[in-house]
Amino acid sequence: MRELVYTAVHKLGSRDNDVQEKFRAIELAICRKYGVAVADVYGQTDLDTNDVNKKNDYTFDSLGANGLPGNNGSGTHPNLKAIEEFYVPVVTEALKDPASHIPEVEVPPTVDKTVLETKLNEAKAEAAKVDVYTENSIAKLNKVIQDAEACKTGRSDQSSGEASKTNPGCD
């Protein structure tokens, strides 16, 4: 375990949700890999500034006349109220016991490959029709079948990388 705690910030209404989810997956994977504890404001609180009321109550964009953060922000910068209500409790817990805040090893979801199996069988039946299709068409179809089989079994043609090009989700 490292001698630090990474703070995963709240859900930012000022940023694209899909991009945030992708960055979150990367940051948690990095923390998991290097044994870094995470104070997970993003995942452990309901501070989501996509909600206009929360955006207005808990964020700021400039300092008030008193020199302190105000409210009615764009959804990015947490104000003192947000820090007190959401950040301090989560960060405090992570600092008390960093070892219990290292992200768990992610278990990949189980995927139902029934539809893929059905389509592969259909494609194989078509590829057997040498009297219907040209040799070039059958060769291309057989290559797609090979790539799909590689994807189905979790391996790819390392030399060509074709499975990845044909189906980026196969990575």
Side-chain angles (χ1 to χ4, degrees):
M1 180 184 65
R2 303 281 183 228
E3 297 292 326
L4 65 105
V5 173
Y6 173 77
T7 301
V9 299
H10 65 278
K11 295 170 188 80
L12 305 171
S14 58
R15 302 290 183 264
D16 179 86
N17 288 330
D18 290 337
V19 171
Q20 287 183 79
E21 287 294 325
K22 288 178 179 148
F23 277 131
R24 175 174 170 70
I26 293 167
E27 67 193 17
L28 292 178
I30 292 169
C31 289
R32 184 172 35 255
K33 179 178 180 177
Y34 293 103
V36 175
V38 177
D40 193 4
V41 176
Y42 188 97
Q44 293 179 324
T45 74
D46 66 348
L47 181 53
D48 181 348
T49 57
N50 287 293
D51 176 328
V52 175
N53 292 325
K54 288 182 180 174
K55 175 185 76 78
N56 291 337
D57 287 345
Y58 294 109
T59 67
F60 78 102
D61 289 331
S62 59
L63 300 177
N66 61 1
L68 297 174
N71 53 12
N72 293 314
S74 63
T76 300
H77 309 289
N79 61 18
L80 294 176
K81 182 178 176 183
I83 291 169
E84 289 171 4
E85 289 183 31
F86 298 101
Y87 281 77
V88 168
V90 173
V91 172
T92 300
E93 280 304 308
L95 289 170
K96 285 181 183 176
D97 186 13
S100 71
H101 287 80
I102 296 171
E104 297 289 324
V105 173
E106 191 171 306
V107 177
T110 302
V111 178
D112 180 7
K113 297 181 182 175
T114 308
V115 174
L116 178 59
E117 289 283 346
T118 302
K119 295 296 180 186
L120 273 170
N121 289 334
E122 291 172 8
K124 289 174 184 177
E126 290 300 310
K129 297 178 181 177
V130 294
D131 57 326
V132 176
Y133 300 107
T134 66
E135 186 178 324
N136 188 34
S137 294
I138 291 173
K140 287 182 181 181
L141 180 56
N142 281 327
K143 180 61 179 148
V144 171
I145 291 169
Q146 177 187 0
D147 290 344
E149 287 281 356
C151 186
K152 182 183 83 174
T153 60
R155 58 183 173 74
S156 64
D157 181 350
Q158 299 298 324
S159 62
S160 70
E162 287 301 312
S164 297
K165 290 178 191 173
T166 306
N167 182 358
C170 187
D171 292 338

